[in-house]
Amino acid sequence: MTGRRTVIPPGSTIGILGGGQLGKMTAMAAARLGYHTVVWAPPGDIPAMEVATYRIANAYEDLTALEEFARTADVCTTEFENVPVKTLAALELLERRVRPSSTILDVAQRRSEEKRFADRLGVNPVTWAYISGLDTLLSPVAYKDLLPGILKTDRLGYDGKGQYDIETYDQLLSALKKENAPCVLEKRMSLDYECSILVARNAAGHVSVSDVVKNEHRNGILWKTNWSPGLIPRDMFTRAEKVAVEIAVRLDLVGILAIEFFVSGGRLYLNEMAPRPHNSFHGSIEAAHCSQFEQHVRAICNLPLGEVRFHTPFIMENLLRGEGDEWLRHLDDPSTRVHNYGKQPVVGKVRKMGHVTRLSFR
Ligand code: ADP
Ligand code: MG
């Protein structure tokens, strides 16, 4: 394997583990810069396969798929943080460039590890406790400062899945019994607002930080993101920026990483981080000098980084059902860009089917 300073030139193939919309939009940005892509994901409803140069529809544990992916990809990345760490570690053993590394994925896959990491950095996580299972549950008094709280599975949670509102110790008992897996219990915060930042670092060690966007969730799932100049107070922005740079350097990040924050009582708390493109930065496709997807490609290929800074205020809204023609009505609005991920709708199921970005031209 060549050194960290080597530029991976256009014409090379970017290997993407994961087949969702984040992979699709990354592959589209890669194609625009002259790269090929190989997408490896289990068979199913996989938007990224539609736009990839090469496709491997097989389980992440499949050895033949691993060999083929390793042979085809000049650099490997993920669009989904729950890809097995073992698969990434195997690619690293095969001397493939895995960006971000398996070590970073390992931290980001476990809420408890993320919070410990934040603690070590001196960045406040919310007040929390690790509960490995029913057998290690302490007496009620140990959790009284955490209630009302939210119980979250330590691993594999996303879009509010694997989360339980907990008011009483009895509810904690029954949620743990149902989940039967390690969890974290977090105090439910009263939020001034939620926001996020995106940091990029390339293999040469150059770092670039985005603007901070404001996020609104409904039932634990991102509903809207917006940005306009001065939306986030200067001091909050500066603090988020400092945390982002510190995290990127400490983790020896190569790639991009999004950090979700809570702001409560005027203080910034780290909620979680994701070493991949993030839903809250989809507006960067139209409203920023460099989109998060292009930044991802630039970072992992060791190109000069762009600026995920916004030139136009925007509101990004997720399309969460996709039943009927929800997305079609947005086509009538000339200030709105419509993204349809091409997923099959499932009646009654809330799922990210697409998004719209409304630009506010001045
Ligand atoms: P996911 O991995 O599903 O995104 P999060 O931990 O980010 O899980 O939770 C989803 C959303 O639920 C948050 O963005 C926030 O709106 C709400 N939430 C989660 N934890 C807390 C908390 N401790 N206090 C208040 N709101 C919370
Ligand atoms: Mg979240």
Side-chain angles (χ1 to χ4, degrees):
M1 189 166 51
T2 43
R4 286 182 59 129
R5 295 196 164 265
T6 311
V7 169
I8 299 170
S12 307
T13 300
I14 298 174
I16 302 173
L17 286 140
Q21 63 269 15
L22 302 177
K24 178 176 186 176
M25 291 183 272
T26 303
M28 287 161 77
R32 196 160 56 76
L33 291 179
Y35 292 89
H36 307 298
T37 44
V38 52
V39 167
W40 175 11
D45 187 12
I46 34 189
M49 296 284 182
E50 302 276 344
V51 296
T53 323
Y54 312 104
R55 303 156 191 84
I56 303 173
N58 223 322
Y60 296 123
E61 292 77 13
D62 188 277
L63 286 180
T64 320
L66 178 81
E67 260 170 40
E68 188 183 344
F69 187 76
R71 210 178 331 110
T72 317
D74 296 298
V75 57
C76 310
T77 192
T78 48
E79 63 94 52
F80 171 59
E81 79 239 37
N82 290 327
V83 167
V85 170
K86 273 189 181 161
T87 304
L88 295 181
L91 287 164
E92 284 165 350
L93 276 176
L94 293 170
E95 303 218 322
R96 297 287 85 201
R97 300 178 186 99
V98 177
R99 298 176 171 172
S101 67
S102 65
T103 316
I104 299 183
L105 257 282
D106 195 36
V107 175
Q109 283 187 356
R110 287 178 285 162
R111 294 186 191 276
S112 55
E113 271 312 302
E114 269 177 0
K115 292 178 197 303
R116 287 186 192 112
F117 175 72
D119 259 335
R120 283 198 295 275
L121 280 186
V123 185
N124 304 320
V126 303
T127 313
W128 68 289
Y130 179 69
I131 307 176
S132 64
L134 266 180
D135 48 338
T136 59
L137 195 68
L138 305 172
S139 60
V141 67
Y143 303 106
K144 84 175 184 337
D145 290 343
L146 291 167
L147 300 182
I150 304 175
L151 186 77
K152 304 179 180 178
T153 51
D154 195 29
R155 287 175 177 275
L156 304 177
Y158 69 99
D159 289 348
K161 292 183 177 65
Q163 299 195 7
Y164 302 82
D165 282 321
I166 307 287
E167 307 287 335
T168 64
Y169 189 74
D170 280 346
Q171 286 175 348
L172 179 60
L173 278 175
S174 59
L176 277 170
K177 205 174 283 176
K178 186 164 167 219
E179 210 43 62
N180 195 25
C183 288
V184 299
L185 178 63
E186 286 179 17
K187 187 182 174 63
R188 191 186 307 143
M189 315 268 293
S190 128
L191 306 179
D192 305 347
Y193 58 90
E194 295 184 60
C195 60
S196 50
I197 196 165
L198 188 94
V199 57
R201 187 167 173 268
N202 66 13
H206 298 140
V207 177
S208 170
V209 184
S210 73
D211 280 322
V212 174
V213 295
K214 211 173 215 183
N215 301 321
E216 291 174 61
H217 290 77
R218 275 185 178 173
N219 303 320
I221 187 165
L222 185 69
W223 171 50
K224 270 188 184 175
T225 292
N226 69 319
W227 178 88
S228 57
L231 179 71
I232 304 290
R234 190 74 228 167
D235 60 329
M236 208 55 81
F237 178 80
T238 310
R239 173 106 181 96
E241 205 173 39
K242 189 165 170 281
V243 168
V245 173
E246 212 161 308
I247 289 180
V249 171
R250 286 279 191 107
L251 287 176
D252 193 15
L253 173 75
V254 180
I256 58 173
L257 180 135
I259 307 162
E260 296 178 15
F261 293 107
F262 293 150
V263 178
S264 175
R267 291 185 69 191
L268 196 70
Y269 295 84
L270 188 139
N271 173 26
E272 58 172 352
M273 51 197 204
R276 54 163 171 78
H278 192 267
N279 195 172
S280 64
F281 281 92
H282 287 359
S284 63
I285 296 175
E286 293 88 3
H289 297 286
C290 175
S291 81
Q292 63 164 341
F293 301 102
E294 178 173 334
Q295 189 77 315
H296 186 182
V297 172
R298 289 184 184 221
I300 63 174
C301 293
N302 206 20
L303 300 174
L305 296 175
E307 295 261 324
V308 185
R309 300 261 173 175
F310 302 107
H311 48 69
T312 308
F314 71 90
I315 298 176
M316 189 283 313
E317 198 176 321
N318 274 329
L319 302 175
L320 292 173
R321 290 193 183 275
E323 291 158 21
D325 292 331
E326 185 195 1
W327 63 281
L328 267 179
R329 69 183 161 86
H330 294 283
L331 292 177
D332 289 335
D333 178 352
S335 67
T336 299
R337 306 287 151 81
V338 181
H339 298 253
N340 185 336
Y341 306 146
K343 290 178 176 175
Q344 282 304 318
V346 180
V347 176
K349 195 172 165 197
V350 174
R351 204 170 162 222
K352 290 173 180 167
M353 303 299 291
H355 74 267
V356 292
T357 300
R358 209 156 44 249
L359 298 166
S360 99
F361 296 108
R362 280 165 289 177

